[in-house]
Amino acid sequence: APLAACSGPKEESKLSYIKDSVGKNPKMNFNMCGYAAPKLETVRVGFVGIGDRGSGAVKRMTFIEGVEVTALCDIRRAAVDGGQKILSEAGLPKAKEFVGGDLGFKELCESGLVDLVYIATPWEWHVPVAIAAMEGDKHAAVEVSTAKTLDECWQMVETSERTRKHCVILENCCYDFFEMLTLNMARQGVFGDLVHGEGAYIHDLDYWQFNKPKDNQMTDGAYTKMWRMHENKRKANVYPTHGLGPICQSMNINRGDKMDYLTAMMSDDFTLKNRIAEKAKEDPFFEQFVGWDMRGNMDMQMIRTNKGRTIMIQHDISSPRPYSRIHMLSGTKCFAQKWPLQHIAFGHNVVDDVQMKELEEKYTPELIRKVGEMAKQVGGHGGMDFVMDWRLIDCLRNGLPVDMDVYDAASWSCITPLSEWSIANKSNSIEVPDFTRGAWETNAPIDLTLTGAGTTEVRNLIKANSKGQLNVH
Ligand SMILES: NC(=O)c1ccc[n+]([C@@H]2O[C@H](COP(=O)([O-])OP(=O)(O)OC[C@H]3O[C@@H](n4cnc5c(N)ncnc54)[C@H](O)[C@@H]3O)[C@@H](O)[C@H]2O)c1
């Protein structure tokens, strides 16, 4: 009787196919962690998906030396036209166009025109395009969250190892300024042993989710074909990587430690169904979503690592509250947290502004010293998007291992199916697959805080004005 009164799922072992596939690890073909692909003097980039996010990426790439945007692909003509406009405004040549149905990307991936396929489609197309890119002998860089299922995670890993092509997860939040500072502090031992980390994606997306898409515009702040509303049906953390990525990097996950198992929980939906009903009264377009069984507002995961650390992740895109990715790191010597109020503390002592400046002077990584100011000028979430793109291109041009490899893409993304299973099974725990198949114990930590200064310049589109400040022209 007490159990019957619970409002959560009543059947155990729902979605058993997820649990069943956790232990099925294909044999490792080649370890892509730390793998340096042959240098590319010029990186020819092809974009697939040029909506809101993809168009920003095209623009950012026009500022980076050694990049040629050679191909643009989207299912919508307006998106490709918009991409061409960005190139012509930057004084760059037109790219070859691939405008067709959903599978138009195949031709791009088979062409000899590009070295890197940059993927910013809705989630369902991420892995199909990434696989086609690697099979076509090209590196893939994939927006977040990269994969939707465990099968997709393993497909990425298997294909990257076999083809020796990078499959990079474009987790821009790893390159934000405070995240980079704390990563370097973690590398230099300032935190002592890291014990616990917290991350989140808490972002009220009401404006974007209920914005009706207009197919004839490159981007209008709406999700093409309302794709994100469709993803809202899934009772899982569908967007785990913004919070998780920076914590994993600080904890050397896949490079010295590994996520061992997780448990997840989700609230009911208290807002989405009501908002849909409200919108449907204003506009019949929204009637198609009335009565849908939506994901709950808040979901969270608790993850334990093999080295005994803990991580907590939260995800809420439908509650009226301020933005937060938390980004909290708690160690035996130091504590840092970015949201709601950014601070660093040693024991009970929260550092003051002067001490904070000293920490920044000492621990700001070379990468940020080199491109941080320019990144702020170019923009993209305050600059972090540009730091990420610049670093990716610099690694490819100099034959350096990438910071966020296929094992990161798989292990950060797999939180979606794992949380889905745990939520459906009263928060029972589930193992996190070892995508590195044991190599995590010996893989070296990424060295981006050391060698991140790189050699790639930012195009002369950015010039210093008379006051020495940088201007974007
Ligand atoms: N890292 C970040 O901060 C961040 C921010 C926003 C979005 N994103 C991610 O970027 C991706 C795109 O999101 P968005 O907001 O730009 O959505 P969007 O709807 O604005 O853009 C998606 C684009 O992909 C195109 N598309 C759809 N199917 C395609 C296919 N089969 N082949 C080629 N093109 C196709 C659409 O026509 C559209 O132009 C998502 O993965 C999202 O999670 C990341």
Side-chain angles (χ1 to χ4, degrees):
L3 267 185
C6 289
S7 60
K10 300 196 172 48
E11 278 168 48
E12 290 290 319
S13 291
K14 282 183 176 174
L15 308 176
S16 54
Y17 67 94
I18 295 177
K19 180 105 172 159
D20 292 348
S21 70
V22 162
K24 288 184 186 152
N25 302 352
K27 208 171 159 280
M28 180 181 263
N29 185 317
F30 178 82
N31 188 357
M32 288 299 287
C33 181
Y35 170 69
K39 285 184 190 184
L40 294 164
E41 180 57 37
T42 301
V43 184
R44 298 168 306 155
V45 186
F47 286 88
V48 180
I50 313 160
D52 192 44
R53 186 73 183 147
S55 58
V58 174
K59 182 146 196 186
R60 294 193 301 274
M61 283 293 178
T62 66
F63 290 98
I64 305 175
E65 183 201 32
V67 170
E68 281 174 13
V69 177
T70 50
L72 296 172
C73 169
D74 201 290
I75 53 171
R76 295 178 303 122
R77 159 60 46 201
V80 171
D81 287 349
Q84 297 285 28
K85 190 158 174 267
I86 293 169
L87 297 179
S88 76
E89 280 170 2
L92 297 171
K94 273 192 158 201
K96 173 133 169 83
E97 299 178 352
F98 297 85
V99 194
D102 276 339
L103 299 179
F105 65 84
K106 282 193 161 180
E107 211 190 314
L108 182 155
C109 292
E110 284 161 11
S111 79
L113 284 172
V114 307
D115 305 301
L116 170 70
V117 181
Y118 199 110
I119 303 157
T121 59
W123 301 331
E124 63 177 321
W125 291 105
H126 283 181
V127 173
V129 183
I131 300 288
M134 291 185 278
E135 296 288 8
D137 205 27
K138 289 146 188 80
H139 299 300
V142 197
E143 260 303 339
V144 295
S145 186
T146 298
K148 292 181 62 168
T149 66
L150 288 181
D151 280 352
E152 281 193 337
C153 288
W154 282 117
Q155 272 175 41
M156 286 192 302
V157 169
E158 189 278 322
T159 311
S160 177
E161 288 178 353
R162 177 168 43 77
T163 59
R164 298 198 189 177
K165 288 289 156 187
H166 292 303
C167 183
V168 172
I169 175 169
L170 291 166
E171 188 34 88
N172 48 338
C173 299
C174 290
Y175 296 87
D176 211 349
F177 295 81
F178 191 71
E179 284 82 342
M180 289 293 299
L181 177 75
T182 50
L183 172 63
N184 200 21
M185 286 168 63
R187 283 283 180 284
Q188 310 299 323
V190 180
F191 284 95
D193 286 326
L194 275 177
V195 179
H196 177 71
E198 295 184 7
Y201 186 65
I202 295 172
H203 191 184
D204 182 3
L205 294 180
D206 188 83
Y207 169 81
W208 294 273
Q209 300 214 88
F210 289 100
N211 198 350
K212 246 164 70 173
K214 300 167 204 70
D215 283 358
N216 59 353
Q217 289 178 19
M218 176 172 64
T219 169
D220 55 4
Y223 298 110
T224 312
K225 295 188 191 164
M226 298 292 284
W227 66 265
R228 197 140 182 169
M229 191 64 85
H230 288 260
E231 298 285 359
N232 276 335
K233 281 173 145 176
R234 197 166 177 198
K235 298 199 167 88
N237 183 343
V238 289
Y239 207 58
T241 71
H242 279 343
L244 184 59
I247 305 284
C248 284
Q249 287 196 328
S250 288
M251 289 188 176
N252 284 329
I253 296 296
N254 297 332
R255 300 168 179 80
D257 199 355
K258 185 182 85 57
M259 288 185 273
D260 189 6
Y261 62 91
L262 73 74
T263 178
M265 192 177 277
M266 178 176 273
S267 75
D268 281 350
D269 165 39
F270 290 80
T271 66
L272 270 172
K273 274 194 287 285
N274 299 341
R275 281 292 285 139
I276 289 167
E278 224 173 80
K279 292 292 285 186
K281 276 189 206 147
E282 288 167 20
D283 183 343
F285 171 81
F286 291 98
E287 278 168 11
Q288 58 184 308
F289 307 115
V290 171
W292 278 18
D293 182 20
M294 293 307 212
R295 62 183 308 282
N297 298 107
M298 166 63 83
D299 69 85
M300 56 204 127
Q301 292 75 49
M302 289 191 296
I303 303 165
R304 194 178 147 92
T305 77
N306 286 57
K307 290 272 170 83
R309 295 155 165 160
T310 49
I311 302 172
M312 190 277 289
I313 300 295
Q314 293 184 342
H315 171 239
D316 183 343
I317 53 151
S318 50
S319 293
R321 51 179 291 188
Y323 181 92
S324 173
R325 299 199 306 268
I326 303 178
H327 188 62
M328 187 262 258
L329 289 169
S330 177
T332 52
K333 290 186 183 158
C334 179
F335 172 90
Q337 181 156 351
K338 185 162 172 181
W339 282 275
L341 284 175
Q342 186 171 300
H343 63 292
I344 289 177
F346 294 89
H348 296 289
N349 303 318
V350 177
V351 302
D352 61 22
D353 289 352
V354 177
Q355 292 163 321
M356 186 65 201
K357 257 213 137 26
E358 285 168 7
L359 284 172
E360 281 170 356
E361 270 157 29
K362 199 162 171 196
Y363 294 110
T364 294
E366 287 307 313
L367 173 59
I368 297 295
R369 286 183 210 273
K370 173 147 180 127
V371 296
E373 275 313 306
M374 291 185 261
K376 283 180 191 163
Q377 299 285 329
V378 176
H381 290 112
M384 65 184 178
D385 299 353
F386 182 76
V387 178
M388 170 181 74
D389 290 334
W390 181 90
R391 169 72 178 164
L392 171 61
I393 295 300
D394 194 61
C395 287
L396 295 177
R397 294 186 74 221
N398 290 292
L400 298 172
V402 292
D403 300 333
M404 302 178 291
D405 60 31
V406 72
Y407 308 111
D408 301 317
S411 61
W412 302 353
S413 302
C414 81
I415 302 307
T416 299
L418 299 182
S419 62
E420 186 174 33
W421 182 88
S422 183
I423 287 163
N425 289 282
K426 287 193 173 160
S427 305
N428 278 338
S429 71
I430 186 162
E431 256 178 77
V432 181
D434 177 10
F435 293 102
T436 76
R437 281 139 302 160
W440 64 270
E441 294 194 69
T442 46
N443 284 340
I446 48 164
D447 67 351
L448 89 131
T449 54
L450 301 173
T451 60
T455 58
T456 298
E457 294 305 328
V458 174
R459 283 190 212 273
N460 61 5
L461 296 160
I462 294 184
K463 298 197 175 86
N465 66 18
S466 55
K467 291 180 190 143
Q469 291 160 335
L470 293 161
N471 286 328
V472 178
H473 294 278

